[in-house]
Amino acid sequence: MKILVTGGAGYIGSHTTLALLEAGYEVVVLDNLCNSSDAALHAVEAICGKSAWMIRGDVCDRPLLDRIFREHQIDAVLHFAGLKAVGESVRKPLEYYETNVGGSITLCQAMAAAGVFRLVFSSSATVYGEPEEMPIREDFPTGNPTNPYGQSKLIVENVLRDLSLAEPRWSIALLRYFNPIGAHTSGHMGEDPNGIPNNLVPYISQVAVGSLRELSIFGNDYPTADGTGVRDYIHVVDLADGHLKALQSISERTGIHTWNLGTGDGYSVLQVLHAFEQACGRPVPYRMMPRRAGDIAESFADASKAAKELGWKATRNLQDMVADTWRWQSNHPNGYSG
Amino acid sequence: MKILVTGGAGYIGSHTTLALLEAGYEVVVLDNLCNSSDAALHAVEAICGKSAWMIRGDVCDRPLLDRIFREHQIDAVLHFAGLKAVGESVRKPLEYYETNVGGSITLCQAMAAAGVFRLVFSSSATVYGEPEEMPIREDFPTGNPTNPYGQSKLIVENVLRDLSLAEPRWSIALLRYFNPIGAHTSGHMGEDPNGIPNNLVPYISQVAVGSLRELSIFGNDYPTADGTGVRDYIHVVDLADGHLKALQSISERTGIHTWNLGTGDGYSVLQVLHAFEQACGRPVPYRMMPRRAGDIAESFADASKAAKELGWKATRNLQDMVADTWRWQSNHPNGYSG
């Protein structure tokens, strides 16, 4: 089977591309490299000895998509391409809606025109908004995400749901990611954000290697064990594996299906920080700051639906995640450009 | 002032173009004529002796938009362009999201690039979903529209709200239309839908002229006076006038502002039907059918916010609406192509 992976040079996309190649799939990567590097695909090749077709281009470019579907016999699409920085989305909402919503619509139109109806979509636990209870199940109502990034994910979910109602040939997986961290165990693939990282673990990593001075922790008065926010962190290699399982599942049935991809365990910011300090053997300075608007106290998955329906379960724990992150970060303090 | 009117050859767009020209504005119409006719603009010219620039093209065409903003000194945009058939939107969701959502995003990006920040957007009372009480005020929560058409309107409202938060130079009016009917009093402009009409009054009109055999009424067991659904019908010329008032208002202040455009009065399907029969002097055969999924019992506006803030109030009653519709329909039984 040949899979089109949009955003396949990005953090989750590249780990999934590796997993696909290792599992024997052929892979075509479409990536505009606006927040990723083709060095990630060189690392993929070095690790598994196989390579993906790399096409540099944009998921909003319909003629390019048509060409890809004409030149490759694509069986399914894994759609990672998108903008993902929450804070930036508040400042540049049109770019987020154009890329994330517009790109998804354009991709689906090109797929339908080419007769390709299998799609795995990178959604996010942010679509739940502020759930009333934990853990979060897939049948919880979707909330009103407080930023354009989250809105764009929810809009695409709803578009895909309408699409599936209109055209029963579609097989669609909505994968709601919790908080992907970690890196490939080789230490040669990992997260390589442009500029100042937006997420906790890349930020901690850069403090640990000395690129940034200290970590800001936003809020230590949440109703959690130590007062800092609790999230469900999931190892990116587990997450990649979840995509393969979802792909297999939708290859056997049509309709639209939603799965949480998380471990089911919540860890606080301080727990992650201390685990990281243990892994890297040095202190990570931090400063307590007031809560950030839009943050919730805790968020963790009920991961049982994916376990039951996909036979998938995260197998890597927090220690694995921080150890693998640290290996990547200390090998490559400047990411792929180093 | 020079105004860009997207969808300006359509039903509401052409009546608003006429009102703008009569009020002394210059008008550039952008319309792809996919569900409209440039004959509407000839009628506009015949009525008021002035004409708009007509540019045939699509609101999703960014280079064309850039050219329009380069060649014309546009002060504000009235954005009517979009697909509007609820039933079709269920069958072709991607087209609706691409045109209505994608088109609005592209338009806003072109506007921002050109330094034009005044926008009047054609929204719909459908964004309220199923309100718990009547009449509907603008501060009611937006609901979960049951079809892609309604979803697309709500998404654009939310995109514009995020945009206004991100960039305070924007002045945006969200106009939530109730049920526009009627036609220009001249009898030479009116609604000219492609194919079988989707809305009540165009359907009744075509039954009255003999183009269609009978009207289907969906549901006569609603908790309303006569059991049929109640809606707030508004004369298209009143609606056009509301756009001018909204345009004046947002020309004087920034931010995003929402106004219902309705009369505040609800009429049932049977009331409209009987009023129409009186206007045309002939019976309009109808057949009672079961309720249609997604229809609500009644919907009518609290129109006081527009009255207070815009100094706008609908002045034409149901008799005016059906009389004007009939004049148009009997003069032009085949619409503009006749």
Side-chain angles (χ1 to χ4, degrees):
Chain A
M1 274 177 84
K2 194 185 273 191
I3 312 298
L4 173 63
V5 180
T6 74
Y11 174 46
I12 306 172
S14 61
H15 285 83
T16 305
T17 294
L18 173 61
L20 287 164
L21 291 171
E22 287 178 332
Y25 291 94
E26 293 186 88
V27 178
V28 178
V29 165
L30 172 66
D31 200 302
N32 68 5
L33 303 181
C34 82
N35 188 26
S36 57
S37 166
D38 52 10
L41 297 177
H42 301 154
V44 165
E45 190 174 349
I47 291 169
C48 74
K50 301 178 192 173
S51 61
W53 279 266
M54 167 65 196
I55 297 164
R56 183 168 185 167
D58 203 285
V59 74
C60 297
D61 182 346
R62 176 67 193 271
L64 174 61
L65 290 171
D66 289 340
R67 212 191 72 206
I68 293 171
F69 286 110
R70 211 166 42 237
E71 293 179 359
H72 295 272
Q73 186 68 39
I74 301 293
D75 295 289
V77 179
L78 271 59
H79 178 36
F80 296 96
L83 300 174
K84 60 178 185 175
V86 168
E88 184 185 57
S89 80
V90 173
R91 295 190 303 277
K92 302 177 176 176
L94 283 181
E95 290 183 26
Y96 273 68
Y97 290 117
E98 181 184 38
T99 302
N100 294 7
V101 178
S104 300
I105 293 170
T106 303
L107 174 64
C108 289
Q109 284 179 315
M111 288 178 67
V116 179
F117 292 101
R118 288 184 190 135
L119 175 66
V120 177
F121 175 63
S122 299
S123 188
S124 164
T126 190
V127 302
Y128 293 113
E130 278 192 65
E132 283 175 21
E133 48 170 333
M134 294 289 148
I136 298 173
R137 288 196 318 270
E138 290 86 348
D139 60 358
F140 279 21
T142 50
N144 192 19
T146 52
N147 56 73
Y149 164 75
Q151 281 285 359
S152 74
K153 291 293 178 187
L154 182 54
I155 290 169
V156 175
E157 283 203 1
N158 291 333
V159 168
L160 294 176
R161 206 164 278 116
D162 287 336
L163 186 55
S164 168
L165 285 170
E167 169 52 82
R169 278 183 293 175
W170 281 94
S171 303
I172 299 173
L174 306 178
L175 301 185
R176 293 176 176 163
Y177 305 161
F178 281 70
N179 292 63
I181 63 171
H184 190 261
T185 318
S186 65
H188 296 305
M189 290 175 63
E191 187 163 11
D192 182 22
N194 273 343
I196 307 291
N198 294 286
N199 296 321
L200 178 64
V201 174
Y203 204 104
I204 291 178
S205 310
Q206 295 202 10
V207 174
V209 293
S211 303
L212 293 168
R213 202 160 52 96
E214 63 182 11
L215 172 72
S216 296
I217 297 180
F218 298 98
N220 64 349
D221 56 351
Y222 284 109
T224 59
D226 62 27
T228 62
V230 165
R231 296 291 181 274
D232 183 334
Y233 296 94
I234 174 169
H235 196 295
V236 67
V237 175
D238 280 328
L239 193 68
D241 185 38
H243 285 75
L244 265 65
K245 292 288 172 51
L247 176 61
Q248 286 158 15
S249 175
I250 64 161
S251 298
E252 290 156 12
R253 52 182 174 159
T254 57
I256 187 162
H257 310 280
T258 307
W259 292 292
N260 286 339
L261 295 186
T263 62
D265 298 317
Y267 292 100
S268 75
V269 175
L270 285 175
Q271 283 177 303
V272 173
L273 180 85
H274 295 322
F276 202 99
E277 287 176 326
Q278 279 215 304
C280 70
R282 53 181 89 170
V284 174
Y286 65 89
R287 177 196 299 259
M288 286 299 178
M289 304 283 283
R291 294 183 186 191
R292 239 175 355 192
D295 281 352
I296 61 180
E298 54 175 10
S299 168
F300 53 96
D302 180 328
S304 61
K305 185 166 183 272
K308 191 173 145 215
E309 296 179 0
L310 302 180
W312 171 88
K313 223 174 139 2
T315 61
R316 292 160 181 86
N317 64 23
L318 182 61
Q319 280 65 41
D320 301 325
M321 300 183 213
V322 294
D324 289 337
T325 300
W326 177 240
R327 193 175 304 112
W328 152 252
Q329 189 69 53
S330 47
N331 281 345
H332 301 271
N334 300 310
Y336 289 113
S337 61
Chain B
M1 276 178 82
K2 194 186 273 191
I3 312 297
L4 172 63
V5 181
T6 74
Y11 173 47
I12 305 172
S14 61
H15 285 83
T16 305
T17 294
L18 173 61
L20 286 164
L21 291 170
E22 287 177 332
Y25 292 92
E26 292 185 89
V27 179
V28 177
V29 166
L30 172 66
D31 200 303
N32 68 6
L33 303 181
C34 82
N35 188 25
S36 57
S37 166
D38 52 10
L41 297 178
H42 301 154
V44 165
E45 190 176 349
I47 290 168
C48 74
K50 301 178 192 175
S51 60
W53 280 267
M54 167 65 195
I55 297 165
R56 183 168 185 167
D58 202 285
V59 75
C60 297
D61 181 346
R62 176 66 192 271
L64 174 61
L65 290 171
D66 289 341
R67 212 191 73 207
I68 293 172
F69 285 111
R70 212 167 41 238
E71 293 179 359
H72 296 272
Q73 186 69 37
I74 301 293
D75 295 288
V77 178
L78 271 58
H79 178 36
F80 296 95
L83 300 175
K84 60 176 185 177
V86 168
E88 186 185 55
S89 79
V90 173
R91 294 190 303 277
K92 302 178 177 176
L94 284 180
E95 290 183 26
Y96 273 69
Y97 289 117
E98 181 182 41
T99 303
N100 294 7
V101 178
S104 299
I105 293 171
T106 302
L107 174 64
C108 288
Q109 285 182 315
M111 289 177 68
V116 178
F117 292 99
R118 287 184 191 136
L119 176 66
V120 178
F121 175 63
S122 299
S123 188
S124 164
T126 188
V127 302
Y128 293 112
E130 278 192 66
E132 284 175 18
E133 47 169 332
M134 293 288 150
I136 298 173
R137 289 195 318 270
E138 289 86 348
D139 60 358
F140 279 20
T142 50
N144 193 19
T146 52
N147 56 71
Y149 164 76
Q151 280 285 0
S152 75
K153 291 293 178 188
L154 182 53
I155 291 169
V156 175
E157 283 204 3
N158 290 334
V159 168
L160 295 176
R161 206 165 278 116
D162 287 337
L163 187 56
S164 170
L165 285 170
E167 171 51 83
R169 278 184 291 175
W170 282 94
S171 303
I172 299 172
L174 305 178
L175 301 185
R176 293 177 175 162
Y177 305 161
F178 281 69
N179 293 61
I181 62 171
H184 190 262
T185 318
S186 65
H188 296 304
M189 289 176 62
E191 188 163 12
D192 182 21
N194 273 342
I196 307 291
N198 293 286
N199 296 321
L200 177 65
V201 174
Y203 204 103
I204 291 177
S205 309
Q206 295 202 10
V207 174
V209 293
S211 303
L212 294 168
R213 201 161 51 99
E214 64 183 9
L215 173 72
S216 295
I217 297 180
F218 298 98
N220 63 348
D221 55 351
Y222 284 109
T224 59
D226 61 28
T228 63
V230 166
R231 296 291 180 274
D232 182 334
Y233 296 93
I234 174 169
H235 196 294
V236 66
V237 175
D238 280 328
L239 192 69
D241 185 37
H243 285 75
L244 266 65
K245 292 289 171 52
L247 175 62
Q248 286 158 13
S249 174
I250 64 161
S251 299
E252 290 157 12
R253 53 182 174 160
T254 58
I256 186 161
H257 309 279
T258 307
W259 291 291
N260 286 340
L261 294 186
T263 62
D265 298 317
Y267 291 99
S268 74
V269 174
L270 285 175
Q271 283 177 302
V272 173
L273 180 86
H274 295 320
F276 202 98
E277 287 176 328
Q278 280 216 303
C280 70
R282 54 181 90 169
V284 174
Y286 64 90
R287 177 197 298 258
M288 286 299 179
M289 303 283 284
R291 294 183 185 191
R292 238 175 357 190
D295 279 354
I296 60 181
E298 54 174 11
S299 168
F300 53 95
D302 180 328
S304 62
K305 185 165 183 276
K308 192 174 144 211
E309 296 179 1
L310 303 180
W312 171 87
K313 225 173 140 359
T315 61
R316 293 160 181 87
N317 64 22
L318 182 61
Q319 280 64 42
D320 301 325
M321 301 183 213
V322 293
D324 289 338
T325 300
W326 177 241
R327 193 174 305 112
W328 153 251
Q329 189 70 51
S330 47
N331 280 345
H332 300 272
N334 300 310
Y336 289 113
S337 60

